[in-house]
Amino acid sequence: MTSEVGVEDLSCVNANLISLSLGCLTENIDSYSNLLDQLLKVLLEEKDSDKFVLKENVAIFIELEAASLVSSVADIELVFATFKNVFQDCAKENTPFLQGQCLVSMTTVLLQAFEKISEEELTVLFTEHVEFLLGLVKQTNNLNNVHVRSIAASCLTEIELCFPKILRDCVDNMYTAAVAETSVAHQQYMSLLALVIKHTVAANMKETSLWGKYPNAQWKGSFIPQEIDSPVIGYPELKEMVSFLVDQLPLCSTEAVAWISLQIVDMMLHRPDLQASAPVLKPLVLHFCSTYSTLAAHIVLLLEKHLGRILFQEKDHIQFLQQLLLNSSHPALSAHIRLLYLDWLNNYLVRQPEKMAKIQNAQLLLPSTFDGPETHLKKLKLLSSLLRSKQDSSKLLVHALASLQKQLKFGSSIKLKAVLIKVLYTFLCDHMTPHMSTEIPRILVVVTTDDVSFTPFVLNFIQTVQDTLPVSPVPSQLLSMLVVTFTQPDSSATLATFHYVLDVFLLAITQDLSICQPKAILNYLMKYVVCEEVCGLLTWSLGHKILSLCYKLMSNYDTVEFFHDFVTELCEVLKNIMSNCDDVDLLDRAQIYHSLLVSLSNRKLKEVLVSPQQSLTSIMANESSFHSSSSICTLNEPILQLKKQRNVSHSIDQMAAEIIVDIPEDILKLHTRHLSFVSQKPLVIKGRLDTTSKFDTNLKTLQALAIFFTASESWGRIEPIMIGHYSKSVSPDDSEPAHIVDIECFLYKPYPAVVQVCADFSIRSVCYVCTLEPLKLDLPDFFQPLPVHDEFISSPTAWRRSLFSSLWTSLEERSQTVNNVAFTSVCVLQQRKEDVREKLFEEMGPYIIQDLKDDDIVHVGIYLSPVNHLLMKFLLKEDYTLVRMVTDDVHVLAHVNSYLKSWQAV
């Protein structure tokens, strides 16, 4: 039974019809079956020769929409009967292009049908179609149907790709046909023959299709030998066939040569005994080694990788290497082609490092004015390896680096800058010269100054160099330069990026006194960060990170003279926080540090801050540490658990009485302005905090309890939860209610995530740290009703219905634009109507905007923080439900499809 689809769900189909000049068929279409009937009617009734272009467009459309148009054996038989009728008419009118399109459409419809229909129902039709194609291929050297026979061979190739070894019984006959054929269809015959031979000799290939089904075809045509169960190609016959394929390669196009060569290489890998005939490919290597074709170069690269010891002599290696080097720097080639050749050259040299000594003209790899930043970096990486043992090479590289620096502007991709780090590290390892040790820190400082978010890569570079090159002066020099740069009045850091700067300061404090420059750091903090105008804007995490820096200064420097040099500035920073900050936790911690500084001697301060058993400096480096406790204890098993509470919310429609309010015409503009306010609010998820069976009731009270979350930066962040004192009374029936907390998520992308959770708390001056079970956030956790403006809160139903309609129209229109700023998708749920309806109202009750005219059409409007929408229309049928979706974030489609499919698994 063909699926019925509402008119509004055929918009994409209509767009395809219009693009193929079939707009006349878009009227009065209410289902795919109706559309299929009209398409077949055009194919059968239009007899005028001028209509062949129209028929060809219809055949192309059926090929494109085969998966939607055909859903039963009856549909397929009807399509096949129609196309055969058209095929015969075309033979009389001599229109080979329409004939070829008929064959392609028939093959596509048949292969797509295996996704929906069992192979038993398709076996007879499949067998007939394959034998029909084989019959056409058999008509070798027929000048009247050269194009049709070439298309038939292409269709058989597609079938063999989907069903490996399905044509193995007729490999001998295909070989005979390929030998006899002398027209332009010859290369398609050879491509088909090469694929069938490769599948036949691959002993370990499983006979399964792309869909896990395999038709049990019973060949009857004269093209296929009878009473042969599993013919095996003998070595002499196979060698003869492979030699024939190689001999005929000069008659084929470059694309066909590449395809056939790939099959031959696979044959030789599956049959090592066949590699004795590999020298027949030598002319191919000699020819392709001197061309600018990327396809030809790729084939030579594969031959060198798998059969190089047989085919390649030393002069062949040198010729191929020089050609790769020349093509990677040829100004006439486009940038992406040169990048491809650079990758191939690098891969080749990785496999054959001894060939680097054969390169005499390394100047070709010097970056040119026509190179972009990525090409620039790839060339520099290769240059570093090539010049490793050459004198005065560092001067050449420094000059190349200077030109690269001009191209790395603010806003360059993080990927590009990450590659830069790898290149500079390679330079440092390959060329340990004073000149290079000075130039590399300078470049890194310049790039970091332009983009402060680059700081983590630089810190990782410092750590890597310290681990691998302990005698290198680069880490100290680079840290010192960064500290000087970031403590200048014109520093490019803002409050949003200042946590990167603090990472630099914290690392510098643990290195060397001359690197740290604590006085400059504290003066900068006092003047620009913890001043009256800025201090109140500090986030909880940033404030504690600043206090961690203060703690490190207090605990790392035990030289009395040095400590007294900056203790005044340190006290001023703490007093500024105490005077200008409103956060209680920050005030408490700053007060403790200030009291210690003014009341204790330097020696006594060290005794308080540093535990004999374990130094707290490693703990305080983390922004989540906030205790002044003198000892740390890590719990192997958590005594706390935090679980997500199911969101229990009611529809806005039920919360307010309906009042008639005029809906403004510019509803989308009003909604967009309202989103600028809504998107700044965090998404609040309720959490249930409770104790586990490992909790010791003697502890009673957890002091200064805080919970911290770690999530992927690309997903978003979660603010820590400060709970303070958490008491657990001894209750024999354990009836004490759990503590409910608000988990505030600031999302970048509303995708499912697994968040790591850690709890810090103190008990009697001992700081405890325990890792809790991960918090799994699923897509429904991010669902929110469409934001309703305060002015219309008294009329939620009318407002939301009108807003849904406007948003749907707007997003659907945007999905059809060239920029693709919105996206559509369709999902089919194979369930009874009652089950889907029950699940729908259970999972999406608060987000349903019910259509009062038709109970079988349910509209769902969902807002995904920070600014995305997900709109869905559910069309409920007896045995299935069609869900049409539109959203302004393409990645949401994959998650929501998976979410809806999970309904069926329950």
Side-chain angles (χ1 to χ4, degrees):
M1 190 70 182
T2 305
S3 302
E4 297 286 334
V5 182
V7 175
E8 71 276 9
D9 298 308
L10 287 172
S11 57
C12 294
V13 174
N14 290 339
N16 286 338
L17 286 171
I18 294 173
S19 66
L20 290 168
S21 301
L22 300 174
C24 58
L25 301 179
T26 59
E27 300 178 1
N28 301 322
I29 297 178
D30 58 358
S31 66
Y32 281 119
S33 60
N34 185 7
L35 176 59
L36 181 61
D37 291 342
Q38 292 194 45
L39 293 169
L40 298 181
K41 185 177 180 181
V42 172
L43 290 174
L44 291 173
E45 293 185 356
E46 301 290 351
K47 298 296 184 182
D48 192 348
S49 59
D50 295 337
K51 301 295 184 180
F52 282 120
V53 175
L54 178 64
K55 289 186 177 183
E56 187 173 355
N57 288 342
V58 170
I60 293 173
F61 179 80
I62 292 177
E63 177 193 354
L64 293 174
E65 300 289 342
S68 302
L69 291 171
V70 178
S71 59
S72 67
V73 176
D75 289 340
I76 299 175
E77 291 176 346
L78 184 60
V79 170
F80 266 64
T82 303
F83 274 124
K84 284 185 177 180
N85 189 299
V86 175
F87 187 88
Q88 294 171 358
D89 291 342
C90 292
K92 302 174 186 177
E93 299 290 340
N94 191 23
T95 54
F97 292 107
L98 180 54
Q99 280 184 296
Q101 185 58 51
C102 288
L103 295 179
V104 172
S105 299
M106 293 165 71
T107 304
T108 302
V109 167
L110 184 62
L111 294 178
Q112 291 284 344
F114 277 95
E115 291 191 40
K116 301 180 179 179
I117 304 170
S118 64
E119 61 272 22
E120 291 81 7
E121 297 180 82
L122 295 173
T123 297
V124 175
L125 192 60
F126 177 80
T127 304
E128 292 178 356
H129 181 61
V130 173
E131 292 200 336
F132 177 63
L133 296 174
L134 290 170
L136 291 173
V137 172
K138 183 181 179 181
Q139 301 173 24
T140 54
N141 291 323
N142 185 345
L143 298 179
N144 295 324
N145 63 356
V146 175
H147 176 74
V148 174
R149 289 187 291 109
S150 178
I151 295 297
S154 297
C155 292
L156 287 172
T157 303
E158 194 71 25
I159 291 173
E160 177 67 21
L161 284 171
C162 293
F163 303 105
K165 295 190 177 184
I166 193 73
L167 298 175
R168 62 181 177 179
D169 291 346
C170 52
V171 61
D172 290 335
N173 303 74
M174 287 182 181
Y175 172 59
T176 303
V179 171
E181 183 62 40
T182 58
S183 70
V184 294
H186 174 61
Q187 75 172 15
Q188 196 57 54
Y189 277 45
M190 289 181 57
S191 298
L192 173 61
L193 175 63
L195 179 65
V196 175
I197 295 175
K198 185 192 81 169
H199 285 174
T200 302
V201 302
N204 59 346
M205 180 177 290
K206 296 182 180 179
E207 297 183 4
T208 56
S209 77
L210 296 177
W211 304 281
K213 306 171 183 178
Y214 208 87
N216 185 21
Q218 301 295 325
W219 308 123
K220 299 179 182 179
S222 58
F223 189 85
I224 302 175
Q226 300 298 304
E227 298 181 359
I228 298 180
D229 295 332
S230 56
V232 178
I233 304 176
Y235 179 71
E237 294 82 3
L238 179 58
K239 184 177 180 181
E240 179 183 346
M241 291 182 184
V242 173
S243 298
F244 166 74
L245 290 172
V246 175
D247 290 341
Q248 299 297 307
L249 285 179
L251 301 177
C252 300
S253 65
T254 303
E255 291 74 13
V257 170
W259 168 265
I260 296 170
S261 302
L262 287 174
Q263 314 312 314
I264 293 174
V265 171
D266 277 348
M267 294 177 209
M268 293 182 176
L269 293 178
H270 282 107
R271 289 280 296 271
D273 59 329
L274 193 61
Q275 293 181 10
S277 60
V280 297
L281 295 171
K282 181 73 175 187
L284 186 69
V285 173
L286 296 177
H287 174 64
F288 278 0
C289 269
S290 57
T291 68
Y292 290 100
S293 167
T294 54
L295 202 55
H298 179 58
I299 294 302
V300 177
L301 204 64
L302 288 177
L303 291 173
E304 187 278 329
K305 180 178 180 181
H306 298 295
L307 303 172
R309 56 185 176 82
I310 301 174
L311 292 178
F312 280 68
Q313 298 178 1
E314 183 63 24
K315 61 179 181 179
D316 300 322
H317 281 287
I318 295 176
Q319 181 184 357
F320 181 53
L321 181 61
Q322 292 298 329
Q323 191 65 38
L324 287 177
L325 187 63
L326 179 63
N327 289 1
S328 63
S329 302
H330 203 296
L333 298 178
S334 58
H336 66 280
I337 298 297
R338 284 186 276 114
L339 275 174
L340 188 61
Y341 276 111
L342 279 172
D343 282 336
W344 285 342
L345 178 60
N346 184 62
N347 293 339
Y348 179 79
L349 292 176
V350 168
R351 292 200 320 274
Q352 306 273 357
E354 69 279 1
K355 296 294 186 296
M356 288 185 184
K358 303 294 183 181
I359 298 179
Q360 302 300 325
N361 52 346
Q363 301 90 301
L364 287 173
L365 284 176
L366 280 174
S368 305
T369 54
F370 51 79
D371 287 330
E374 191 164 354
T375 307
H376 209 131
L377 285 169
K378 285 184 180 292
K379 283 188 173 182
L380 290 178
K381 188 175 181 181
L382 274 171
L383 264 178
S384 180
S385 301
L386 292 176
L387 302 175
R388 185 179 304 163
S389 58
K390 294 183 170 46
Q391 294 181 351
D392 297 329
S393 59
S394 61
K395 293 182 180 179
L396 186 65
L397 293 175
V398 167
H399 177 72
L401 283 173
S403 63
L404 170 66
Q405 182 187 325
K406 299 177 182 178
Q407 297 194 41
L408 286 173
K409 308 294 184 182
F410 174 76
S412 296
S413 69
I414 292 298
K415 171 195 170 186
L416 195 61
K417 293 178 180 177
V419 176
L420 172 64
I421 286 291
K422 294 180 181 178
V423 171
L424 294 179
Y425 175 72
T426 303
F427 280 14
L428 199 60
C429 293
D430 294 344
H431 310 275
M432 288 285 292
T433 64
H435 200 179
M436 192 64 69
S437 297
T438 303
E439 188 66 14
I440 288 177
R442 186 193 66 79
I443 291 178
L444 285 173
V445 170
V446 170
V447 176
T448 309
T449 303
D450 289 341
D451 188 352
V452 183
S453 64
F454 187 50
T455 304
F457 293 98
V458 180
L459 297 182
N460 184 61
F461 174 84
I462 291 172
Q463 190 62 52
T464 304
V465 174
Q466 286 177 333
D467 293 341
T468 56
L469 305 170
V471 297
S472 173
V474 170
S476 299
Q477 185 179 353
L478 180 54
L479 262 180
S480 179
M481 294 171 67
L482 286 174
V483 171
V484 172
T485 300
F486 284 137
T487 52
Q488 297 302 312
D490 58 348
S491 172
S492 58
T494 64
L495 201 58
T497 59
F498 191 67
H499 60 284
Y500 294 122
V501 178
L502 283 174
D503 289 335
V504 174
F505 293 165
L506 286 167
L507 181 61
I509 291 173
T510 61
Q511 299 293 321
D512 189 271
L513 253 66
S514 58
I515 297 175
C516 175
Q517 304 176 38
K519 201 159 188 174
I521 292 175
L522 292 172
N523 283 328
Y524 179 80
L525 289 177
M526 192 166 43
K527 189 172 182 180
Y528 298 105
V529 181
V530 294
C531 59
E532 183 178 356
E533 296 81 7
V534 179
C535 197
L537 303 176
L538 295 178
T539 62
W540 182 91
S541 57
L542 186 59
H544 277 289
K545 203 164 190 176
I546 293 172
L547 289 172
S548 295
L549 184 143
C550 297
Y551 178 91
K552 278 208 169 189
L553 287 173
M554 294 164 60
S555 57
N556 270 275
Y557 297 107
D558 51 6
T559 303
V560 176
E561 294 79 5
F562 179 78
F563 185 79
H564 280 298
D565 284 343
F566 63 83
V567 69
T568 303
E569 288 79 6
L570 183 57
C571 286
E572 286 299 319
V573 169
L574 294 172
K575 284 196 292 183
N576 280 1
I577 294 178
M578 293 159 53
S579 302
N580 303 316
C581 185
D582 297 330
D583 190 287
V584 177
D585 299 308
L586 297 178
L587 292 175
D588 286 347
R589 187 176 174 190
Q591 179 67 49
I592 292 174
Y593 290 167
H594 186 265
S595 299
L596 293 174
L597 275 174
V598 298
S599 60
L600 298 180
S601 64
N602 184 48
R603 182 182 61 80
K604 188 64 176 178
L605 189 63
K606 299 306 166 188
E607 295 177 359
V608 171
L609 293 179
V610 182
S611 169
Q613 294 82 14
Q614 179 183 10
S615 172
L616 275 179
T617 53
S618 60
I619 303 300
M620 297 306 294
N622 192 313
E623 66 179 48
S624 63
S625 302
F626 62 95
H627 296 286
S628 60
S629 306
S630 58
S631 60
I632 296 290
C633 178
T634 302
L635 301 180
N636 295 326
E637 297 187 30
I639 64 172
L640 294 171
Q641 60 182 0
L642 178 66
K643 293 186 177 180
K644 178 184 63 182
Q645 289 283 91
R646 181 173 178 82
N647 292 330
V648 181
S649 57
H650 301 283
S651 173
I652 297 178
D653 300 355
Q654 302 172 2
M655 296 173 59
E658 185 72 20
I659 299 176
I660 303 301
V661 176
D662 293 335
I663 302 298
E665 293 183 2
D666 56 349
I667 183 173
L668 287 181
K669 292 183 179 179
L670 182 61
H671 179 66
T672 302
R673 288 201 302 269
H674 187 50
L675 281 191
S676 64
F677 168 72
V678 175
S679 61
Q680 297 176 8
K681 295 183 176 181
L683 171 65
V684 178
I685 298 175
K686 293 294 182 182
R688 174 190 175 97
L689 180 64
D690 206 346
T691 54
T692 66
S693 58
K694 304 299 180 181
F695 181 78
D696 185 356
T697 54
N698 294 325
L699 297 177
K700 293 185 180 180
T701 301
L702 309 183
Q703 301 168 350
L705 171 60
I707 303 173
F708 305 94
F709 305 88
T710 304
S712 169
E713 286 189 16
S714 61
W715 175 84
R717 63 183 177 86
I718 304 180
E719 280 294 303
I721 299 174
M722 301 297 300
I723 297 177
H725 297 274
Y726 180 85
S727 59
K728 175 73 175 178
S729 62
V730 181
S731 177
D733 57 356
D734 199 25
S735 59
E736 183 181 358
H739 190 74
I740 304 300
V741 295
D742 288 339
I743 304 173
E744 295 187 348
C745 306
F746 291 85
L747 299 176
Y748 298 145
K749 296 294 182 182
Y751 306 151
V754 176
V755 179
Q756 299 301 318
V757 188
C758 178
D760 282 12
F761 51 90
S762 58
I763 304 174
R764 291 187 291 274
S765 300
V766 178
C767 177
Y768 290 85
V769 179
C770 68
T771 301
L772 310 186
E773 292 184 5
L775 193 68
K776 296 181 179 180
L777 300 179
D778 303 315
L779 188 64
D781 294 322
F782 312 120
F783 288 175
Q784 300 177 76
L786 294 177
V788 179
H789 196 277
D790 294 341
E791 181 181 351
F792 300 95
I793 194 66
S794 59
S795 179
T797 305
W799 168 270
R800 291 171 68 209
R801 188 181 297 122
S802 180
L803 177 59
F804 177 90
S805 177
S806 300
L807 274 173
W808 182 279
T809 303
S810 172
L811 291 176
E812 196 170 47
E813 289 176 353
R814 287 157 57 192
S815 70
Q816 299 175 10
T817 62
V818 177
N819 296 328
N820 277 345
V821 292
F823 309 89
T824 61
S825 179
V826 176
C827 177
V828 180
L829 303 178
Q830 301 291 345
Q831 284 179 291
R832 294 187 306 112
K833 178 195 298 186
E834 294 77 10
D835 295 339
V836 174
R837 183 187 298 276
E838 180 182 356
K839 191 71 174 176
L840 178 61
F841 279 83
E842 176 187 351
E843 296 285 333
M844 300 185 178
Y847 323 110
I848 291 177
I849 305 170
Q850 186 65 45
D851 193 323
L852 301 178
K853 298 179 181 179
D854 190 346
D855 290 337
D856 289 338
I857 299 179
V858 180
H859 294 175
V860 177
I862 294 172
Y863 172 68
L864 296 170
S865 180
V867 291
N868 299 123
H869 298 88
L870 170 63
L871 309 180
M872 295 186 282
K873 294 182 180 180
F874 287 77
L875 178 63
L876 284 75
K877 295 296 182 180
E878 290 301 328
D879 297 324
Y880 69 91
T881 296
L882 188 74
V883 188
R884 181 155 173 76
M885 294 165 273
V886 61
T887 180
D888 42 15
D889 188 340
V890 66
H891 300 290
V892 169
L893 292 179
H895 294 298
V896 74
N897 267 289
S898 175
Y899 166 60
L900 291 175
K901 291 295 184 183
S902 67
W903 290 10
Q904 301 181 141
V906 178

